[in-house]
Amino acid sequence: MKPKTFVMIALAAVISGAAAVAAYTTYNQWDQGRVVGEKLVPALASGNVDVSSLVITREGNTLTLESNANGQWSIKERDSYPADPDKVRALLVKLAQAELIEAKTRMPDRHALLELEDPSSKDAKSRSLKLLDGSGKTIADLVIGKRRWDAFGSGKSGTYVRKAGDAQTWLANAEIDVRAEVRSWINPTLVETQSDKIQTLTIHIPGEELLKIERDASDKSKTQFVGLPADAKLKDTTAADGVLRAAARIDVDDVRKLDAPPSGDVSTVSFKNEQGLEITYWLRKDGDDYWLSIAASGEGDAKEMAEKIRNQTKGWEYKITSTKAGSLLKRRADLIESS
């Protein structure tokens, strides 16, 4: 081989190698030398820090989860309403275990494809997640993007992430589900009992005639509306059972402090079951939303459940869906076919 040819080949190899190193370095760095396989939140993974609060922001909505001295979690924006500790713990475990597996784009104009755009921008789908210690020092400041289904095999999804202020994006090997919604961080089920054990239920809506449902004493599988005209024909013969099912389980989307008993245009739904549990729901409409508060009492087998419901709900009002409200607040006109 001619010396000139050898030099040209060697020079090409050097240039190619340098380009490869530069590409690899660019591809695998995340701020201060982060590389593939590194923990998403090293400080959390080391166990050397205590997370005292998590701040989640999406589309201008912020939710702050705070831990008190006893390790109990609550939602700051909801007057410290208790958060579900298992849900918070599950997120922290995932963040501690998550690793950066595959580097993605560094181009800001492509961040939105991974839902990793600036969380403060209009219509952003990304979520901001900050972890703070007891002194308010930032442990991690992350942007959480969309999930990549089955990224690591069947049933093993990943999540696109990046560090706030850094253009480098990554695929992490964990399903990191953070939402700035109250329902995601509380126990949303306030009441859960068997509808076929409810004996009586009454519905009172201001300006409407009282509606009452009773279970047949001789055949407990049958229920009926009491006091309807003898010739009344129901639009739906299963309507009574539908109301009982709606009352037997209450799931909520949001919560707010209730400083005084509900007043104004308030409807009530009350029922009693075989175990002696008695529950009353007060429902009122605020704008387009329906809000519900609860009273519970019971003796014998029902006493423990009643106390649990009271302890959880006393002093609070809960937002329910319009569908749930419509299932509870039935009027005679909703039930009887017009002649």
Side-chain angles (χ1 to χ4, degrees), residues 86-98:
D86 291 337
K87 293 181 178 181
V88 178
R89 191 178 301 113
L91 173 60
L92 292 176
V93 169
K94 285 185 178 181
L95 291 172
Q97 295 176 342

Side-chain angles (χ1 to χ4, degrees), residues 23 25-31 34 103-111 114 162 165-170:
T25 302
T26 299
Y27 187 77
N28 288 284
Q29 70 179 2
W30 184 11
D31 243 352
R34 295 202 171 206
K104 295 304 209 180
T105 182
R106 289 182 59 90
M107 301 173 62
D109 61 349
R110 297 181 65 82
H111 285 176
L114 304 180
R162 69 180 177 88
D166 187 0
Q168 179 66 62
T169 63
W170 293 84

Side-chain angles (χ1 to χ4, degrees), residues 76-92:
K76 178 182 178 181
E77 290 79 7
R78 295 300 184 273
D79 295 292
S80 296
Y81 185 82
D84 187 331
D86 291 337
K87 293 181 178 181
V88 178
R89 191 178 301 113
L91 173 60
L92 292 176

Side-chain angles (χ1 to χ4, degrees), residues 17-77:
V21 169
Y24 180 86
T25 302
T26 299
Y27 187 77
N28 288 284
Q29 70 179 2
W30 184 11
D31 243 352
Q32 300 175 356
R34 295 202 171 206
V35 296
V36 167
E38 185 173 344
K39 293 291 186 180
L40 172 62
V41 187
L44 188 60
S46 70
N48 295 326
V49 295
D50 289 322
V51 178
S52 292
S53 61
L54 296 90
V55 184
I56 305 166
T57 304
R58 183 177 184 182
E59 296 180 332
N61 297 319
T62 296
L63 210 63
T64 306
L65 304 172
E66 296 181 317
S67 175
N68 63 20
N70 297 321
Q72 298 169 326
W73 289 88
S74 62
I75 303 175
K76 178 182 178 181
E77 290 79 7

Side-chain angles (χ1 to χ4, degrees), residues 156-174:
K156 297 180 181 179
S157 301
T159 306
Y160 293 108
V161 299
R162 69 180 177 88
K163 185 180 179 181
D166 187 0
Q168 179 66 62
T169 63
W170 293 84
L171 175 64
N173 62 348

Side-chain angles (χ1 to χ4, degrees), residues 123-136:
D123 299 325
K125 294 182 179 180
S126 57
R127 292 145 292 167
S128 168
L129 173 61
K130 295 181 181 180
L131 279 64
L132 309 175
D133 65 16
S135 64

